[in-house]
């Protein structure tokens, strides 16, 4: 066993951000596509999001089971990760005629754009990394 200082909270990058191109449709005053800013999150935040998207469902024998709505979970995950644009901004929501950040995302983006954003958020948060690839990377 070695030095544990690399794992101390003060020595770890707390949050990573990344600028991503979600759509060519959102342009600045010069006509250039506007990049979105997404951030990483902690597992505590992820667990809170998962709980918010999980409902108790009564089964046949009267027993309850927990079911996570995956579409709701992904929408909440993305909303929590997007720093820019501010999806919780009331004026932005009003311009699309919706209330709520998740509803705004669904109204703003085409299906492919939404899928791109979801993929970028998942990548930034480490969801797409194959464990076997990570093991090989560590070996080298």
């Amino acid at each position: 066993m070695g030095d544990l200082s690399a794992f101390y909270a003060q020595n770890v990058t707390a949050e990573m951000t990344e600028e991503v191109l979600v759509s060519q449709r959102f342009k600045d005053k010069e006509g250039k596509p506007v990049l979105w800013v997404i951030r990483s999150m902690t597992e505590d935040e992820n667990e809170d999001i998962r709980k918010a998207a999980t409902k108790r469902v009564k089964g046949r024998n009267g027993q309850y089971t927990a079911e996570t709505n995956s579409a709701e979970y992904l929408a909440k995950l993305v909303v929590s990760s997007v720093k820019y644009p501010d999806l919780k901004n009331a004026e932005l929501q009003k311009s699309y005629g919706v209330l709520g950040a998740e509803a705004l995302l669904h109204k703003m983006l085409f299906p492919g754009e939404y899928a791109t954003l979801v993929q970028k958020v998942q990548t930034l948060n480490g969801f797409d990394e194959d464990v076997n690839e990570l093991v090989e990377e560590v070996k080298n």
Side-chain angles (χ1 to χ4, degrees):
M1 297 285 166
D3 180 19
L4 293 177
S5 65
F7 297 98
Y8 292 167
Q10 66 269 22
N11 296 333
V12 177
T13 303
E15 179 179 286
M16 298 184 298
T17 59
E18 185 177 322
E19 291 184 337
V20 296
L21 179 61
V22 174
S23 172
Q24 295 282 342
R25 296 183 306 122
F26 305 102
K27 298 184 188 288
D28 64 15
K29 292 176 182 172
E30 287 84 41
K32 295 178 186 170
V34 176
L35 298 176
W36 292 43
V37 179
I38 58 174
R39 71 173 187 91
S40 61
M41 64 182 60
T42 65
E43 179 54 26
D44 283 343
E45 291 172 291
N46 183 52
E47 190 58 33
D48 289 344
I49 292 166
R50 188 181 335 280
K51 285 178 185 175
T54 301
K55 306 291 183 249
R56 287 178 32 140
V57 177
K58 190 172 185 177
R60 291 183 187 177
N61 300 331
Q63 300 225 344
Y64 286 90
T65 58
E67 286 186 12
T68 301
N69 180 325
S70 59
E72 183 181 350
Y73 167 73
L74 283 175
K76 289 180 182 302
L77 182 73
V78 170
V79 165
S80 183
S81 291
V82 172
K83 288 183 79 164
Y84 181 81
D86 179 5
L87 300 173
K88 295 176 182 172
N89 180 282
E91 288 182 44
L92 184 57
Q93 291 177 15
K94 184 179 178 182
S95 77
Y96 282 90
V98 297
L99 288 175
E102 288 96 0
L104 176 61
L105 264 183
H106 291 312
K107 193 77 162 183
M108 283 177 80
L109 300 176
F110 291 159
E113 295 167 346
Y114 182 76
T116 297
L117 181 58
V118 167
Q119 187 237 353
K120 301 274 188 191
V121 165
Q122 288 177 318
T123 300
L124 183 61
N125 284 291
F127 285 114
D128 73 329
E129 296 190 42
D130 182 5
V131 173
N132 295 324
E133 288 177 18
L134 290 174
V135 169
E136 287 301 315
E137 191 175 310
V138 168
K139 285 181 182 177
N140 296 330

